[in-house]
Amino acid sequence: EGTGDNLHALAQAFGCQESLMPKFYSTTQANYIDIVAGSQESPVQMYKNLKGVMQKDSDLAAGCDVI
């Protein structure tokens, strides 16, 4: 759970290194509420929320190209 094809594709879209996939999965699961907050009105908001969550994690911030 939480490691499906869609989540993997999202991590790849953010340019995350393959070694960071488990970290990406656990971070998105742990911060799901923060990521989807306000995103019903705008997919851009979800993108911004996810990017903000990833920037707070030093491994993801360093290992994902879109951050």
Side-chain angles (χ1 to χ4, degrees), residues 24-35:
F24 181 86
Y25 302 153
S26 63
T27 300
T28 53
Q29 287 175 334
N31 294 281
Y32 178 79
I33 297 298
D34 295 331
I35 293 168

Side-chain angles (χ1 to χ4, degrees), residues 5 7-8 11 13-14 16 20 23-24 27 29 32 36 38 40-41 46-47 49 56 60-61 65-66:
D5 292 339
L7 195 55
H8 188 81
F14 271 89
C16 296
L20 287 174
K23 177 82 166 194
F24 181 86
T27 300
Q29 287 175 334
Y32 178 79
V36 299
Q40 295 80 5
E41 299 160 13
M46 182 178 158
Y47 168 82
N49 293 349
K56 293 177 186 175
L60 293 177
D65 295 336
V66 177

Side-chain angles (χ1 to χ4, degrees), residues 43-60:
V44 173
Q45 188 60 52
M46 182 178 158
Y47 168 82
K48 289 178 181 179
N49 293 349
L50 176 55
K51 191 171 176 181
V53 164
M54 293 172 68
Q55 287 173 333
K56 293 177 186 175
D57 184 282
S58 59
D59 293 331
L60 293 177

